[in-house]
Coordinates of all heavy atoms in Angstrom, one line a residue:
M1 N 181.8 124.7 108.7 CA 181.2 124.1 107.5 C 181.7 122.6 107.3 O 183.0 122.4 107.4 CB 181.5 124.9 106.3 CG 180.6 124.5 105.1 SD 180.8 125.6 103.7 CE 180.0 127.0 104.3
R2 N 180.9 121.7 107.0 CA 181.2 120.3 106.8 C 180.9 119.9 105.4 O 179.9 120.4 104.8 CB 180.5 119.5 107.8 CG 180.8 119.8 109.2 CD 179.9 119.2 110.2 NE 178.5 119.3 109.7 CZ 177.5 118.5 110.1 NH1 177.8 117.5 110.9 NH2 176.3 118.7 109.7
T3 N 181.6 119.0 104.8 CA 181.3 118.5 103.5 C 180.0 117.8 103.4 O 179.3 117.9 102.3 CB 182.4 117.4 103.0 OG1 182.5 116.4 103.9 CG2 183.8 118.1 102.8
I4 N 179.5 117.3 104.5 CA 178.1 116.6 104.5 C 177.0 117.7 104.2 O 175.9 117.4 103.7 CB 177.8 116.0 105.7 CG1 176.6 115.0 105.6 CG2 177.7 116.9 106.9 CD1 176.5 114.0 106.6
D5 N 177.4 119.0 104.5 CA 176.4 120.1 104.2 C 176.1 120.2 102.7 O 175.1 120.8 102.3 CB 176.9 121.4 104.8 CG 177.1 121.4 106.2 OD1 176.2 120.7 106.9 OD2 177.9 122.2 106.8
F6 N 177.0 119.7 101.9 CA 176.8 119.8 100.4 C 176.3 118.5 99.8 O 176.2 118.4 98.6 CB 178.1 120.1 99.8 CG 178.7 121.5 100.2 CD1 179.5 121.5 101.3 CD2 178.2 122.6 99.7 CE1 180.0 122.7 101.7 CE2 178.6 123.9 100.2 CZ 179.6 123.9 101.2
D7 N 175.9 117.5 100.6 CA 175.4 116.3 100.0 C 173.9 116.5 99.6 O 173.2 117.1 100.3 CB 175.4 115.2 101.1 CG 176.8 114.6 101.3 OD1 177.7 114.9 100.5 OD2 177.0 113.8 102.2
Y8 N 173.6 115.9 98.5 CA 172.2 115.9 97.9 C 172.1 114.8 96.9 O 173.0 114.4 96.4 CB 171.9 117.3 97.3 CG 172.8 117.8 96.2 CD1 172.4 117.5 94.9 CD2 173.9 118.5 96.4 CE1 173.2 117.9 93.8 CE2 174.7 118.8 95.4 CZ 174.3 118.5 94.1 OH 175.1 118.9 93.0
D9 N 170.9 114.5 96.6 CA 170.5 113.4 95.6 C 170.6 114.0 94.2 O 169.9 115.0 94.0 CB 169.2 112.8 96.0 CG 168.9 111.7 95.0 OD1 169.8 110.9 94.7 OD2 167.8 111.6 94.6
L10 N 171.5 113.5 93.4 CA 171.4 113.9 92.0 C 171.4 112.6 91.1 O 172.4 112.0 91.1 CB 172.8 114.7 91.7 CG 173.0 115.2 90.3 CD1 171.8 116.1 89.9 CD2 174.3 115.9 90.2
P11 N 170.3 112.4 90.5 CA 170.1 111.2 89.8 C 171.0 111.2 88.5 O 171.3 112.2 87.9 CB 168.6 111.2 89.2 CG 168.0 112.2 90.3 CD 169.0 113.1 90.7
E12 N 171.6 110.1 88.2 CA 172.6 110.0 87.1 C 172.0 110.6 85.8 O 172.8 111.2 85.1 CB 172.9 108.4 86.8 CG 173.8 107.9 87.9 CD 175.3 108.2 87.6 OE1 175.6 108.3 86.4 OE2 176.0 108.3 88.5
N13 N 170.7 110.4 85.5 CA 170.1 110.8 84.2 C 170.1 112.4 84.2 O 169.8 113.0 83.1 CB 168.8 110.2 84.1 CG 167.7 110.7 85.1 OD1 168.1 111.0 86.2 ND2 166.5 110.9 84.6
L14 N 170.3 113.1 85.3 CA 170.4 114.5 85.3 C 171.8 115.1 85.1 O 172.0 116.3 85.1 CB 169.7 115.1 86.5 CG 168.2 114.8 86.7 CD1 167.8 115.4 88.0 CD2 167.5 115.3 85.5
I15 N 172.8 114.3 85.0 CA 174.2 114.7 84.9 C 174.6 114.7 83.4 O 174.5 113.7 82.8 CB 175.1 113.8 85.7 CG1 174.7 113.8 87.2 CG2 176.6 114.2 85.5 CD1 175.5 112.7 88.0
A16 N 174.9 115.9 82.9 CA 175.4 116.0 81.5 C 176.5 115.1 81.2 O 177.5 115.1 82.0 CB 175.6 117.4 81.2
Q17 N 176.5 114.3 80.1 CA 177.6 113.5 79.7 C 178.4 114.1 78.7 O 179.6 113.9 78.5 CB 177.1 112.1 79.4 CG 176.3 111.4 80.4 CD 177.2 111.2 81.7 OE1 178.3 110.7 81.6 NE2 176.6 111.5 82.8
V18 N 177.7 115.0 77.9 CA 178.4 115.6 76.7 C 177.8 117.0 76.6 O 176.7 117.2 77.0 CB 178.2 114.9 75.4 CG1 178.9 113.6 75.4 CG2 176.7 114.7 75.1
P19 N 178.6 118.0 76.1 CA 178.0 119.3 76.0 C 176.9 119.4 74.9 O 176.9 118.5 73.9 CB 179.2 120.1 75.5 CG 180.4 119.3 75.6 CD 180.0 117.9 75.6
L20 N 176.0 120.3 75.0 CA 175.0 120.5 74.0 C 175.6 121.1 72.7 O 176.5 121.7 72.8 CB 173.9 121.5 74.5 CG 173.1 121.1 75.7 CD1 172.2 122.2 76.2 CD2 172.2 119.9 75.4
D21 N 175.0 120.7 71.6 CA 175.4 121.3 70.3 C 175.3 122.8 70.3 O 176.2 123.5 70.0 CB 174.6 120.7 69.1 CG 174.9 119.2 68.8 OD1 176.1 118.8 69.3 OD2 174.1 118.5 68.4
G22 N 174.2 123.3 70.8 CA 174.0 124.7 70.8 C 174.3 125.2 72.3 O 173.4 125.1 73.1
R23 N 175.5 125.5 72.6 CA 175.8 125.8 74.0 C 174.9 126.9 74.6 O 174.7 126.9 75.8 CB 177.3 126.3 74.1 CG 178.3 125.2 73.9 CD 178.3 124.3 75.1 NE 179.3 123.2 75.0 CZ 180.6 123.4 75.5 NH1 180.9 124.6 76.1 NH2 181.4 122.4 75.5
D24 N 174.4 127.9 73.8 CA 173.6 128.9 74.4 C 172.1 128.4 74.7 O 171.5 129.1 75.3 CB 173.5 130.1 73.5 CG 172.8 129.8 72.1 OD1 172.7 128.6 71.8 OD2 172.4 130.7 71.4
T25 N 171.9 127.2 74.4 CA 170.6 126.6 74.8 C 170.6 125.9 76.2 O 169.7 125.3 76.7 CB 170.1 125.6 73.8 OG1 171.0 124.5 73.7 CG2 169.9 126.2 72.5
S26 N 171.8 125.9 76.8 CA 172.0 125.3 78.2 C 171.0 126.0 79.1 O 170.7 127.2 79.0 CB 173.4 125.6 78.7 OG 174.3 124.9 77.9
R27 N 170.6 125.3 80.2 CA 169.6 125.8 81.2 C 170.4 126.8 82.1 O 171.5 126.6 82.4 CB 169.0 124.7 81.9 CG 168.1 123.8 81.0 CD 167.3 122.8 81.7 NE 168.3 121.9 82.4 CZ 167.8 120.9 83.2 NH1 166.6 120.7 83.5 NH2 168.7 120.0 83.7
L28 N 169.6 127.8 82.5 CA 170.2 128.8 83.4 C 169.1 129.0 84.6 O 168.0 129.2 84.4 CB 170.3 130.1 82.7 CG 170.8 131.3 83.5 CD1 172.3 131.1 83.9 CD2 170.6 132.6 82.6
L29 N 169.6 128.8 85.8 CA 168.8 129.0 87.0 C 169.1 130.4 87.5 O 170.2 130.8 87.7 CB 169.2 128.0 88.1 CG 168.3 128.1 89.3 CD1 166.9 127.6 89.1 CD2 169.0 127.3 90.4
V30 N 168.1 131.2 87.6 CA 168.2 132.6 88.0 C 167.5 132.8 89.3 O 166.3 132.5 89.6 CB 167.5 133.5 87.0 CG1 167.6 135.0 87.4 CG2 168.0 133.3 85.6
L31 N 168.3 133.3 90.4 CA 167.8 133.6 91.6 C 167.7 135.1 91.9 O 168.7 135.8 91.7 CB 168.6 132.9 92.7 CG 168.4 133.4 94.2 CD1 166.9 132.9 94.6 CD2 169.4 132.8 95.1
D32 N 166.5 135.7 92.2 CA 166.4 137.0 92.5 C 166.8 137.2 94.0 O 166.0 136.7 94.9 CB 165.0 137.5 92.4 CG 164.8 139.0 92.6 OD1 165.3 139.5 93.6 OD2 164.0 139.7 91.8
S33 N 167.9 137.8 94.3 CA 168.4 137.8 95.7 C 167.6 138.6 96.6 O 167.6 138.4 97.9 CB 169.9 138.2 95.7 OG 169.9 139.5 95.2
Q34 N 166.8 139.5 96.0 CA 165.9 140.3 96.9 C 164.6 139.6 97.3 O 164.2 139.5 98.5 CB 165.6 141.6 96.2 CG 166.8 142.4 95.8 CD 166.9 143.8 96.3 OE1 165.8 144.3 96.4 NE2 168.0 144.3 96.5
S35 N 164.0 139.0 96.4 CA 162.7 138.4 96.6 C 162.9 136.8 96.9 O 161.9 136.2 97.5 CB 161.8 138.5 95.4 OG 162.2 137.7 94.3
G36 N 164.0 136.2 96.5 CA 164.2 134.8 96.7 C 163.5 134.0 95.6 O 163.5 132.8 95.6
Q37 N 162.9 134.6 94.6 CA 162.2 134.0 93.5 C 163.1 133.4 92.6 O 164.2 133.9 92.3 CB 161.3 134.9 92.7 CG 160.5 134.3 91.7 CD 159.6 135.3 90.9 OE1 159.3 136.4 91.5 NE2 159.1 134.9 89.8
I38 N 162.8 132.1 92.2 CA 163.7 131.2 91.3 C 163.0 131.2 90.0 O 161.8 131.1 89.9 CB 163.9 129.9 91.8 CG1 164.7 129.9 93.0 CG2 164.7 129.0 90.7 CD1 165.0 128.6 93.7
E39 N 163.8 131.5 88.9 CA 163.2 131.4 87.5 C 164.2 130.5 86.7 O 165.4 130.5 86.8 CB 163.3 132.9 87.0 CG 162.7 133.0 85.5 CD 162.7 134.4 85.1 OE1 162.9 135.3 85.9 OE2 162.7 134.6 83.9
H40 N 163.5 129.8 85.8 CA 164.4 128.9 84.9 C 164.4 129.6 83.5 O 163.4 130.1 83.0 CB 163.6 127.6 84.8 CG 163.6 126.8 86.0 ND1 164.7 126.0 86.5 CD2 162.7 126.7 87.0 CE1 164.4 125.5 87.5 NE2 163.2 125.9 88.0
A41 N 165.6 129.7 83.0 CA 165.8 130.4 81.7 C 166.8 129.6 80.9 O 167.2 128.6 81.2 CB 166.3 131.8 81.9
S42 N 167.2 130.2 79.8 CA 168.3 129.6 79.0 C 169.5 130.5 79.0 O 169.4 131.8 79.2 CB 167.9 129.6 77.4 OG 166.8 128.6 77.3
F43 N 170.7 130.0 78.8 CA 171.9 130.8 78.8 C 171.9 131.9 77.9 O 172.4 133.0 78.2 CB 173.1 129.9 78.6 CG 174.4 130.5 79.0 CD1 174.9 130.6 80.3 CD2 175.2 131.0 78.0 CE1 176.1 131.3 80.6 CE2 176.4 131.6 78.2 CZ 176.8 131.8 79.5
K44 N 171.2 131.8 76.8 CA 171.2 132.9 75.8 C 170.5 134.1 76.3 O 170.6 135.2 75.8 CB 170.6 132.4 74.5 CG 169.1 132.0 74.6 CD 168.6 131.6 73.3 CE 167.1 131.3 73.3 NZ 166.8 129.9 73.4
D45 N 169.7 133.9 77.5 CA 168.9 135.0 78.1 C 169.8 135.8 79.1 O 169.3 136.8 79.6 CB 167.7 134.4 78.8 CG 166.8 133.7 77.9 OD1 166.6 134.1 76.7 OD2 166.2 132.7 78.3
L46 N 171.0 135.3 79.4 CA 171.8 135.9 80.4 C 171.9 137.4 80.2 O 171.8 138.1 81.2 CB 173.2 135.3 80.4 CG 174.2 135.8 81.4 CD1 173.7 135.6 82.8 CD2 175.5 135.2 81.2
P47 N 172.2 138.0 79.0 CA 172.3 139.5 79.0 C 171.1 140.2 79.5 O 171.3 141.3 80.1 CB 172.5 139.7 77.5 CG 173.1 138.4 77.0 CD 172.5 137.3 77.8
S48 N 170.0 139.7 79.4 CA 168.8 140.4 79.9 C 168.7 140.5 81.4 O 168.0 141.3 82.0 CB 167.5 139.8 79.4 OG 167.4 138.5 80.0
Y49 N 169.6 139.7 82.2 CA 169.6 139.7 83.6 C 170.7 140.7 84.1 O 170.9 140.8 85.3 CB 169.8 138.3 84.1 CG 168.5 137.5 83.9 CD1 168.5 136.6 82.9 CD2 167.4 137.6 84.7 CE1 167.4 135.8 82.6 CE2 166.3 136.7 84.4 CZ 166.3 135.9 83.4 OH 165.2 135.1 83.2
L50 N 171.5 141.1 83.2 CA 172.8 141.9 83.6 C 172.5 143.4 83.6 O 171.7 143.8 82.7 CB 174.0 141.5 82.8 CG 174.4 140.0 82.8 CD1 175.5 139.8 81.8 CD2 174.8 139.6 84.2
S51 N 173.2 144.1 84.5 CA 173.0 145.5 84.5 C 174.5 146.1 84.4 O 175.5 145.4 84.7 CB 172.5 146.1 85.8 OG 171.1 145.5 86.0
V52 N 174.7 147.3 84.1 CA 175.9 148.0 84.0 C 176.7 147.9 85.3 O 176.0 148.1 86.4 CB 175.8 149.5 83.5 CG1 177.2 150.2 83.6 CG2 175.2 149.6 82.2
G53 N 177.9 147.4 85.3 CA 178.7 147.2 86.6 C 178.7 145.9 87.2 O 179.3 145.6 88.2
D54 N 177.8 145.0 86.6 CA 177.7 143.6 87.1 C 179.1 142.9 86.8 O 179.7 143.3 85.8 CB 176.6 142.9 86.5 CG 175.3 143.3 87.2 OD1 175.2 144.0 88.1 OD2 174.2 142.8 86.5
L55 N 179.4 142.0 87.6 CA 180.6 141.2 87.4 C 180.2 139.7 87.1 O 179.4 139.1 87.8 CB 181.4 141.2 88.7 CG 182.6 140.3 88.8 CD1 183.8 140.8 87.8 CD2 183.3 140.3 90.2
I56 N 180.8 139.2 86.2 CA 180.6 137.8 85.7 C 181.9 137.1 86.0 O 183.0 137.5 85.6 CB 180.3 137.6 84.2 CG1 179.0 138.3 83.9 CG2 180.3 136.1 84.0 CD1 178.7 138.3 82.4
V57 N 181.8 136.0 86.9 CA 183.0 135.2 87.2 C 182.8 133.9 86.4 O 181.8 133.2 86.5 CB 183.0 134.9 88.7 CG1 184.2 134.0 89.0 CG2 183.1 136.2 89.5
I58 N 183.9 133.5 85.6 CA 183.8 132.3 84.8 C 184.7 131.2 85.4 O 185.9 131.5 85.8 CB 184.3 132.6 83.4 CG1 183.3 133.6 82.8 CG2 184.4 131.3 82.5 CD1 183.8 134.2 81.4
N59 N 184.2 130.1 85.7 CA 184.8 129.0 86.2 C 185.1 128.0 85.1 O 184.3 127.4 84.6 CB 183.9 128.2 87.4 CG 184.7 127.0 87.9 OD1 185.7 126.7 87.5 ND2 183.9 126.4 88.8
D60 N 186.4 127.9 84.7 CA 186.8 127.0 83.6 C 187.5 125.8 84.2 O 188.3 125.2 83.4 CB 187.6 127.7 82.6 CG 188.9 128.2 83.1 OD1 189.1 128.1 84.3 OD2 189.7 128.7 82.3
S61 N 187.3 125.4 85.4 CA 188.0 124.3 86.0 C 187.4 123.0 85.4 O 186.3 123.0 84.9 CB 187.9 124.3 87.5 OG 186.5 124.1 87.9
R62 N 188.2 122.0 85.4 CA 187.7 120.7 84.9 C 187.6 119.7 86.1 O 188.3 119.7 87.0 CB 188.7 120.1 83.9 CG 188.8 121.0 82.7 CD 189.4 120.3 81.6 NE 189.7 121.2 80.4 CZ 188.8 121.4 79.4 NH1 187.8 120.7 79.4 NH2 189.1 122.2 78.4
V63 N 186.6 118.8 85.9 CA 186.4 117.9 87.0 C 187.0 116.5 86.6 O 186.8 116.1 85.4 CB 184.8 117.7 87.2 CG1 184.6 116.6 88.2 CG2 184.2 118.9 87.6
I64 N 187.7 115.9 87.5 CA 188.3 114.6 87.2 C 187.6 113.6 88.1 O 187.2 113.9 89.1 CB 189.9 114.5 87.4 CG1 190.2 115.0 88.9 CG2 190.6 115.5 86.6 CD1 191.6 114.7 89.3
P65 N 187.5 112.4 87.6 CA 186.7 111.3 88.4 C 187.7 110.9 89.5 O 188.5 109.9 89.3 CB 186.5 110.2 87.3 CG 187.6 110.3 86.3 CD 187.8 111.8 86.2
A66 N 187.7 111.5 90.6 CA 188.6 111.2 91.7 C 188.0 111.2 93.0 O 188.6 111.6 94.0 CB 189.7 112.4 91.6
R67 N 186.8 110.7 93.1 CA 186.2 110.4 94.4 C 186.3 109.0 94.8 O 185.9 108.2 94.0 CB 184.7 111.0 94.4 CG 184.0 110.9 95.7 CD 182.6 111.5 95.6 NE 182.6 112.9 95.1 CZ 182.6 114.0 95.8 NH1 182.6 113.9 97.1 NH2 182.7 115.1 95.2
I68 N 186.9 108.7 96.0 CA 187.1 107.3 96.4 C 186.4 107.1 97.8 O 186.5 107.9 98.7 CB 188.6 107.1 96.5 CG1 189.3 107.4 95.2 CG2 188.9 105.6 97.0 CD1 190.8 107.4 95.3
F69 N 185.7 106.1 97.8 CA 185.0 105.7 99.1 C 185.7 104.5 99.6 O 186.0 103.5 98.9 CB 183.5 105.3 98.9 CG 182.7 106.5 98.3 CD1 182.5 106.7 97.0 CD2 182.2 107.4 99.2 CE1 181.8 107.7 96.5 CE2 181.5 108.5 98.7 CZ 181.3 108.6 97.4
A70 N 186.1 104.5 100.9 CA 186.8 103.5 101.5 C 186.2 103.0 102.9 O 185.7 103.9 103.5 CB 188.2 103.8 101.7
S71 N 186.3 101.8 103.1 CA 185.9 101.2 104.5 C 187.1 100.4 105.0 O 187.6 99.5 104.4 CB 184.7 100.3 104.3 OG 183.6 100.9 103.8
P72 N 187.5 100.8 106.2 CA 188.7 100.0 106.8 C 188.4 98.6 107.1 O 187.3 98.3 107.5 CB 188.9 100.8 108.1 CG 188.1 102.0 108.1 CD 187.0 101.8 107.1
V73 N 189.3 97.7 106.8 CA 189.2 96.3 107.1 C 189.2 96.2 108.6 O 190.0 96.8 109.3 CB 190.4 95.6 106.5 CG1 190.3 94.1 106.9 CG2 190.4 95.6 105.0
G74 N 188.2 95.4 109.1 CA 188.1 95.2 110.6 C 187.2 96.2 111.2 O 187.2 96.3 112.5
G75 N 186.6 97.1 110.5 CA 185.7 98.0 111.1 C 186.3 99.4 111.2 O 187.4 99.7 110.8
G76 N 185.5 100.4 111.8 CA 186.0 101.8 111.8 C 185.1 102.7 111.0 O 184.0 102.2 110.4
R77 N 185.4 103.9 110.9 CA 184.6 104.8 110.1 C 184.9 104.7 108.7 O 186.1 104.5 108.1 CB 185.0 106.2 110.5 CG 184.6 106.5 112.0 CD 185.0 107.9 112.4 NE 184.1 108.8 111.7 CZ 184.2 110.1 111.9 NH1 185.0 110.6 112.8 NH2 183.3 110.9 111.2
N78 N 183.8 104.9 107.8 CA 183.9 105.0 106.4 C 184.6 106.3 106.0 O 184.4 107.2 106.7 CB 182.6 104.9 105.7 CG 182.0 103.4 105.9 OD1 182.7 102.5 106.1 ND2 180.7 103.3 105.8
V79 N 185.4 106.2 105.0 CA 186.1 107.5 104.5 C 185.8 107.7 103.1 O 185.6 106.9 102.2 CB 187.6 107.2 104.7 CG1 188.4 108.4 104.2 CG2 188.0 106.8 106.1
E80 N 185.6 109.0 102.8 CA 185.5 109.5 101.4 C 186.7 110.4 101.0 O 187.0 111.4 101.8 CB 184.2 110.3 101.2 CG 184.0 110.9 99.9 CD 182.7 111.8 99.8 OE1 181.8 111.7 100.7 OE2 182.6 112.4 98.8
L81 N 187.4 110.1 100.1 CA 188.6 110.8 99.6 C 188.2 111.6 98.3 O 187.6 111.0 97.4 CB 189.7 109.9 99.4 CG 190.2 109.0 100.5 CD1 191.2 108.0 99.9 CD2 190.7 109.8 101.6
L82 N 188.6 112.8 98.2 CA 188.4 113.7 97.0 C 189.7 114.2 96.6 O 190.4 115.0 97.2 CB 187.5 114.8 97.3 CG 187.2 115.7 96.1 CD1 186.6 115.0 95.0 CD2 186.3 116.9 96.5
L83 N 190.3 113.6 95.5 CA 191.6 114.0 95.0 C 191.4 115.2 94.0 O 190.5 115.1 93.1 CB 192.2 112.8 94.2 CG 192.2 111.5 95.0 CD1 192.8 110.4 94.1 CD2 193.0 111.7 96.3
L84 N 192.1 116.3 94.3 CA 192.0 117.5 93.6 C 193.0 117.7 92.4 O 192.7 118.3 91.4 CB 192.1 118.7 94.5 CG 191.1 118.7 95.7 CD1 191.4 119.9 96.5 CD2 189.7 118.8 95.1
R85 N 194.1 117.1 92.5 CA 195.1 117.2 91.4 C 196.0 116.0 91.5 O 196.2 115.4 92.5 CB 195.8 118.5 91.5 CG 196.7 118.7 92.8 CD 197.4 120.0 92.8 NE 198.0 120.2 94.1 CZ 197.4 120.8 95.1 NH1 196.2 121.2 95.0 NH2 198.0 120.9 96.3
R86 N 196.6 115.7 90.3 CA 197.6 114.7 90.3 C 199.0 115.2 90.6 O 199.3 116.3 90.2 CB 197.6 114.1 88.8 CG 198.6 113.0 88.7 CD 198.5 112.4 87.3 NE 197.3 111.7 87.2 CZ 196.8 111.0 86.1 NH1 197.7 111.0 85.1 NH2 195.8 110.3 86.0
E87 N 199.6 114.5 91.5 CA 201.0 115.0 92.0 C 202.0 114.0 91.3 O 201.9 112.9 91.3 CB 201.0 115.0 93.4 CG 200.1 116.0 94.1 CD 200.7 117.4 94.2 OE1 201.9 117.5 94.2 OE2 199.9 118.3 94.2

C-alpha cells in the first residue's frame, strides 16, 4: 500500500472549520456492505443502523497541521513529510 493510494481532491469549502452547534446534525455516510448501496443520513440516525452485538469504535485523535511539502535545491524528487507527534 502506498500513501498515493489515499490521495483525492477535497475542496477547502468542504472541510469543517468549526464543530456544528448541534453535533447530532452532523452528516453520516452509511454503506451497506452487502449491497454496496450508499445512503446519506444524520448522525442522530445512527441508532437505527445498529443491531445487538454491533461494535462502535470511536476515534478521538486530533489532527495537527503538520504536512510539509519540500523540493530539494538543485533538483531531485519532491518530498511530502507528515509529522505525527511533537518530540
Side-chain angles (χ1 to χ4, degrees):
M1 189 174 292
R2 302 168 311 156
T3 56
I4 196 168
D5 295 333
F6 299 97
D7 285 350
Y8 59 92
D9 180 43
L10 181 58
E12 286 278 327
N13 64 327
L14 296 181
I15 301 172
Q17 301 301 311
V18 294
L20 294 173
D21 288 334
R23 288 291 186 88
D24 65 342
T25 61
S26 297
R27 295 185 298 175
L28 178 68
L29 180 71
V30 180
L31 170 67
D32 184 318
S33 60
Q34 304 234 334
S35 69
Q37 182 177 345
I38 293 176
E39 182 179 342
H40 297 275
S42 293
F43 190 77
K44 67 178 181 260
D45 301 324
L46 179 63
S48 67
Y49 293 99
L50 300 176
S51 300
V52 173
D54 284 351
L55 172 69
I56 297 176
V57 177
I58 299 173
N59 177 356
D60 65 352
S61 62
R62 300 196 183 265
V63 177
I64 60 172
R67 188 173 303 264
I68 302 169
F69 298 95
S71 299
V73 175
R77 296 179 67 178
N78 292 335
V79 177
E80 178 181 347
L81 305 171
L82 177 60
L83 308 176
L84 301 177
R85 64 182 170 272
R86 183 177 285 188
E87 295 275 335

